[in-house]
Structure formats: C-alpha cells, structure tokens
C-alpha cells in the first residue's frame, strides 16, 4: 500500500489480522484503526510518511508486534483516551517516535519492549535491555520500561 493518503483504513472491526504488508510513503497514515479491537498487526514494514499506525476512537486491546517503522514522522500515534489496552512490542522504531494519549503497554509482558533508534542510554549489565525506560511522547505518561538495545529485524540493521 503505497503513495496514498491512507494505506489501509479499518473501521468498526474485531479480530482482524494485518500481517506481512508494506505501507510505504502514505501521506497521513499507513494504517488507520478506528474502533478496531482485539486485532493483530505483525510482520509489516512501515516506511516513510506521516504516521505508521494511527489508533483512533475505541481502537483498543490490539497487539502490534514484530513490525518495522522506518522514517515516519510518528511510528505509532494513539490519539484517543478510549484507545487503550493495546500491547506494542518487539517493533523497530527507526528515526521515529511514538505518541499516546491513552493507557497502553509497550512490552511483551515478559520484560522485552521495542527498539528505538534514538534511545541513547546505557545497558550497564549487558542484558540487552536499556537501564532506563523510554518515554512515549504525549499526555498518557507511558513508557517502554524494557527498551532493547539492538533491532529485532535484520533489515533494520542495514
């Protein structure tokens, strides 16, 4: 899905799987989830554009994992207070940040979060997890408490 205003918009849906896609150079958002819940977004590439994934209204309880967000203004944006309970983990955020206004989880529940190319803090014990949390931009006061020090995907290393 390339070169449009939205790459893909999903509205009022549950239990959707969005896997193995490339969202490239979409002007506003690669993937727009509106009132979409309990869905799985994995193994996608989001490359260059406005927002990689935009969560809006009651886009909640979704899992977003094993994706690459490369050179977006914002990799993931969660604009609604009602868009909470999403679990976001094992993603590579390259030259982009995330923003949230809700209450979401930024790790896999077992102590592994996401890779953030702008994370420059230390890993003194060498366990591959940053010693300090990575702050998610926005008024939601969210953190990736377990940012990883190296990208998950080989492509992200190139």
């Amino acid at each position: 899905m390339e070169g449009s205003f939205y790459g893909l918009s999903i509205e009022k849906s549950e239990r959707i799987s969005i896997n193995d896609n490339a969202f490239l150079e979409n002007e506003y958002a690669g993937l727009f989830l509106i009132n979409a819940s309990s869905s799985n977004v994995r193994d996608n590439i989001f490359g260059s554009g406005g927002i990689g994934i935009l969560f809006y209204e009651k886009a909640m309880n979704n899992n977003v994992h094993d994706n690459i967000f490369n050179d977006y203004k914002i990799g993931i944006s969660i604009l609604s207070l009602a868009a909470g309970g999403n679990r976001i983990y094992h993603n590579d955020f390259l030259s982009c940040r995330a923003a949230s206004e809700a209450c979401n989880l930024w790790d896999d529940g077992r102590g592994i979060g996401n890779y953030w190319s702008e994370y420059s803090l230390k890993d003194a014990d060498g366990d591959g997890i940053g010693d300090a949390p990575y702050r998610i931009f926005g008024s939601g006061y969210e953190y990736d408490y377990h940012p990883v020090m190296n990208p998950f995907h080989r492509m992200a290393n190139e």
Side-chain angles (χ1 to χ4, degrees), residues 114-144:
N114 299 281
Y115 173 76
W116 307 91
S117 63
E118 67 178 29
Y119 183 81
S120 60
L121 299 176
K122 304 267 188 232
D123 175 20
D125 60 7
D127 66 355
I129 307 294
D131 294 336
Y134 177 85
R135 183 160 182 334
I136 307 302
F137 181 77
S139 64
Y141 297 103
E142 296 177 39
Y143 294 87
D144 181 341

Side-chain angles (χ1 to χ4, degrees), residues 30-105:
L31 176 59
F32 191 17
L33 299 175
I34 310 165
N35 292 316
S37 62
S38 303
S39 295
N40 194 37
V41 180
R42 70 170 174 79
D43 296 322
N44 299 287
I45 297 172
F46 295 85
S48 201
I51 299 169
I53 301 175
L54 175 59
F55 292 80
Y56 193 66
E57 293 184 2
K58 292 182 182 176
M60 55 192 197
N61 301 320
N62 297 291
N63 286 312
V64 177
H65 58 96
D66 299 299
N67 300 286
I68 298 173
F69 297 90
N70 187 16
D71 198 29
Y72 265 86
K73 291 177 183 151
I74 299 174
I76 292 178
S77 180
I78 303 169
L79 287 179
S80 172
L81 291 173
N86 298 293
R87 187 169 287 274
I88 301 156
Y89 60 94
H90 296 192
N91 299 292
D92 292 327
F93 289 87
L94 309 170
S95 299
C96 61
R97 302 187 65 170
S100 181
E101 303 297 325
C103 185
N104 298 281
L105 304 166

